[in-house]
Amino acid sequence: MDSKKKILTKLIPQAALEALTPEAEMAVPQGMITDGLVSIRNFPYRIGRESRVQTVKGKIERVERPKLNDREPNNDLYLVDRGQLLNISREHLLIETGVDGYLLKDRGSACGTKVNGQSVGGNDSGGATILSDGDEIVIGTADSPYRFRFVDLDCFEFIEKL
């Protein structure tokens, strides 16, 4: 039974990010989003801008990211920022678990992060705030189209009952 728990903890997401705008949904790489939801299975969960893009037929498209020297990537989720003015920094934010639940940390981004309209970080300063189920996360300036809702799935209570 213990091995089934281990398998379930790898497959079932602990949380998710729900894309609230078409731009947010389009920024997520194909295969990482299903029905507008990005699954979060491991923490800390790091988010940043995909810097390897090219213009194809007038549209910004992601270029396959080669793995360099077996080095771990800087982010778990690479978002493609299609704006003229960039909102997403290369290493923008992370979500981690703590004693009091979830914590969102701005990783020293230029434009900052908004959680329910409150600024976290910006101007390369970093910052942190508690993150709760249903909180709206805006990656970048207040006008940024990269808007997500944090969803705490709390699946591990279900797994513990197995």
Side-chain angles (χ1 to χ4, degrees):
M1 191 62 111
D2 205 30
S3 64
K4 286 185 180 182
K5 282 184 187 179
K6 287 180 183 177
I7 292 169
L8 282 174
T9 58
K10 290 180 181 179
L11 294 175
I12 297 175
Q14 297 180 45
L17 293 173
E18 178 185 8
L20 298 177
T21 63
E23 294 89 349
E25 191 164 350
M26 287 177 25
V28 178
Q30 204 167 11
M32 290 192 73
I33 191 163
T34 304
D35 295 328
L37 295 169
V38 177
S39 297
I40 301 175
R41 291 182 177 84
N42 298 310
F43 292 96
Y45 191 77
R46 299 160 302 165
I47 301 170
R49 183 182 78 237
E50 176 60 79
S51 58
R52 293 178 172 100
V53 294
Q54 65 185 3
T55 304
V56 177
K57 297 181 183 177
K59 293 177 75 177
I60 296 175
E61 296 296 332
R62 179 186 160 115
V63 176
E64 185 62 34
R65 176 177 288 278
K67 190 160 179 129
L68 302 172
N69 302 326
D70 292 328
R71 200 174 70 198
E72 288 296 314
N74 294 336
N75 298 303
D76 300 293
L77 175 60
Y78 285 94
L79 299 172
V80 176
D81 192 338
R82 290 177 164 82
Q84 292 299 97
L85 300 172
L86 295 177
N87 276 287
I88 306 168
S89 292
R90 286 188 191 132
E91 295 182 2
H92 199 99
L93 66 92
L94 69 81
I95 300 169
E96 63 183 8
T97 56
V99 177
D100 296 325
Y102 296 98
L103 190 66
L104 181 143
K105 290 184 178 178
D106 184 277
R107 296 161 69 191
S109 70
C111 293
T113 305
K114 312 292 177 281
V115 176
N116 296 328
Q118 299 296 313
S119 292
V120 180
N123 297 319
D124 305 319
S125 66
T129 190
I130 292 172
L131 192 60
S132 301
D133 183 49
D135 283 352
E136 183 177 340
I137 301 167
V138 178
I139 301 174
T141 65
D143 297 331
S144 172
Y146 306 110
R147 297 173 179 271
F148 296 88
R149 178 175 293 117
F150 180 73
V151 182
D152 179 359
L153 297 174
D154 208 8
C155 295
F156 288 95
E157 284 183 18
F158 168 75
I159 293 170
E160 287 302 315
K161 292 178 185 176
L162 292 177

